[in-house]
Amino acid sequence: FTMQILFFTHYFPPEVNAPALRTYEHCREWARQGHEVHVVTCVPNHPQGKVYPGYKSRFSVQRENVDGIRVHRVWTYIAANKGIMKRTLGYMSFMISAPLRALQLPRPDVIIATSPQFFCACAGFIAGKIFGRPWIFELRDIWPESIVAVGAIRAKGVIKTLEKLELTLYGDASAVVALTSSFKRNLVSRGIGPDKIHVVTNGVNPEAWRPGNIERLQALPGLNGKFVVSYIGTHGMAHNLETALEAARILQERSDIGFLTAGDGAEFENLLTKKRKMGLDNFVMRGQVPHGTAKSYLLGSDASLVILRKSNLFKTVIPSKIFEAMAAGKPIILAVEGEAQRIVEETEAGICIEPENPQQLAEAVIKLREDTELRKRLGRNGRRAVEEEYNRKKLAERMMEVMREVGR
């Protein structure tokens, strides 16, 4: 049967972060199946807190149709992706404006709210009460634990209050869709019933990533003729890109190797300052670029770097960059322990190293640079894995099964 689906998300294209792309690709699949999908989101502004061209920050709702998805952009307090207080104001304003917009939409069969941050999940909770309909908590990150892990919040009273709210939301939701098995284990250990938690990992649309005759990155100063290792994504507190800078310093004498990063975030300016002080000509930082450009950078690279801080919390996450690199047919250098490491090792799609270890990173780069057959084999293995297991269409259908179950 066809469903009325109401989806709350803080991020949506033309923003290019992982939550935006996952939501868009899932909703597009459901719309293609004939379901009526309404997405309530913000005016695009991530990560710099600047409204994208063609949009305005205003109190009236901005509507558009994106591949059959009915998108409703509501007013929020807009802030850059740094500074905890201003960002929290932005999240809380969405928690209020999103359910208010939902009141003007058809009564949904099911409501989905995605996190982080969980003020978006609060919007799902509120809408569920308003409509008397089931809501699904899509759990992309254990929050507030993840922001505590990077030192963004230290006040014990605030943390306890947020954790109580977190458990209340899990308990009230009709179902929780967790992105990793580790997230499910975390929730079960804290008293959430295992039967209501469904694991639907991240993935990618392999058809959108066709390895082929992609122009090399020769036009970028500092990369001409080099073996290129790219990092495409947020430059945040969690990512510890200082390790990549140190590896670039170790490899500075290798004129045949270069690093490329594309993306913005709270640590971008600090990293750029450090790179300049270190005098690294082999480390190119492009900042925020359009999704198509970022995609061409990855397809034009020789290897993809996926990196996080060394933390027990990050053993539970699976960065979506893994699946994009696999789809692009690029070998992965993975500096993340735990569940992400298990996937890369099982699929034989890359080389796993210890997080925060620049020497191991440098050695992995040299190994891939000098072993063409290894590079090709790892790339082929990754491509096969996304076609068979981490295909976005299959994952969207798994999530649809959860929606059908709770929306009866």
Side-chain angles (χ1 to χ4, degrees), residues 118 144 158-168 190:
F118 68 32
V158 174
I159 293 166
K160 276 192 173 181
T161 301
L162 290 174
E163 285 175 344
K164 282 182 182 177
L165 175 57
E166 175 198 15
L167 288 171
T168 299
R190 295 158 71 198

Side-chain angles (χ1 to χ4, degrees), residues 7-8 30 89 94 96 158 162 165 176 185-186 203 213 246 315 346 365:
F7 203 118
F8 293 118
W30 302 331
L89 281 174
F94 181 76
I96 297 166
V158 174
L162 290 174
L165 175 57
V176 177
R185 289 192 293 271
N186 179 299
N213 297 320
E246 289 296 335
K315 292 178 180 180
E346 285 181 358
V365 172

Side-chain angles (χ1 to χ4, degrees), residues 60-325:
S60 58
V61 175
Q62 297 167 70
R63 292 183 289 266
E64 56 189 308
N65 189 300
V66 180
D67 292 337
I69 307 163
R70 303 177 193 207
V71 181
H72 311 262
R73 298 189 183 273
V74 298
W75 177 86
T76 57
Y77 176 82
I78 292 175
N81 190 32
K82 51 188 171 185
I84 198 76
M85 290 306 298
K86 286 186 176 181
R87 276 192 293 168
T88 300
L89 281 174
Y91 299 153
M92 293 183 74
S93 64
F94 181 76
M95 179 181 73
I96 297 166
S97 60
L100 286 175
R101 174 56 186 165
L103 284 170
Q104 302 166 51
L105 301 178
R107 187 170 186 262
D109 294 306
V110 65
I111 300 158
I112 307 165
T114 189
S115 80
Q117 35 65 39
F118 68 32
F119 292 107
C120 182
C122 291
F125 170 88
I126 293 166
K129 300 305 179 191
I130 290 171
F131 289 110
R133 298 302 301 153
W135 74 281
I136 296 171
F137 189 145
E138 183 182 58
L139 180 62
R140 297 187 44 81
D141 207 351
I142 303 290
W143 206 89
E145 189 177 345
S146 58
I147 55 175
V148 173
V150 297
I153 291 182
R154 292 187 172 88
K156 291 182 179 179
V158 174
I159 293 166
K160 276 192 173 181
T161 301
L162 290 174
E163 285 175 344
K164 282 182 182 177
L165 175 57
E166 175 198 15
L167 288 171
T168 299
L169 292 169
Y170 296 147
D172 186 78
S174 302
V176 177
V177 170
L179 266 67
T180 75
S181 299
S182 298
F183 289 173
K184 180 172 182 175
R185 289 192 293 271
N186 179 299
L187 267 58
V188 170
S189 72
R190 295 158 71 198
I192 306 301
D195 292 344
K196 77 184 302 182
I197 308 168
H198 309 264
V199 177
V200 180
T201 66
N202 251 328
V204 72
N205 176 12
E207 295 304 311
W209 292 85
R210 279 286 170 200
N213 297 320
I214 302 298
E215 185 178 343
R216 298 269 316 147
L217 300 170
Q218 312 302 353
L220 294 179
L223 299 179
N224 189 26
K226 294 186 177 182
F227 177 89
V228 178
V229 180
S230 65
Y231 171 87
I232 313 293
T234 303
H235 294 46
M237 295 172 72
H239 301 94
N240 195 49
L241 284 164
E242 292 90 346
T243 299
L245 286 174
E246 289 296 335
R249 177 164 28 202
I250 292 168
L251 296 170
Q252 204 164 10
E253 300 304 314
R254 291 286 301 251
S255 61
D256 59 333
I257 292 173
F259 289 80
L260 168 68
T261 78
D264 203 342
E267 290 296 299
F268 180 84
E269 292 300 330
N270 289 338
L271 291 162
L272 189 59
T273 300
K274 287 178 182 177
K275 165 194 138 60
R276 287 170 177 162
K277 284 182 178 176
M278 294 163 77
L280 297 177
D281 296 330
N282 61 342
F283 199 99
V284 177
M285 297 178 66
R286 297 294 289 169
Q288 185 77 3
V289 297
H291 181 57
T293 303
K295 189 173 171 181
S296 71
Y297 284 173
L298 179 53
L299 285 164
S301 300
D302 297 289
S304 174
L305 174 62
V306 181
I307 185 169
L308 285 173
R309 288 190 180 280
K310 192 176 181 66
S311 163
N312 285 334
L313 174 68
F314 295 140
K315 292 178 180 180
T316 69
V317 306
I318 307 173
S320 60
K321 300 176 191 67
I322 288 174
F323 306 113
E324 292 176 349

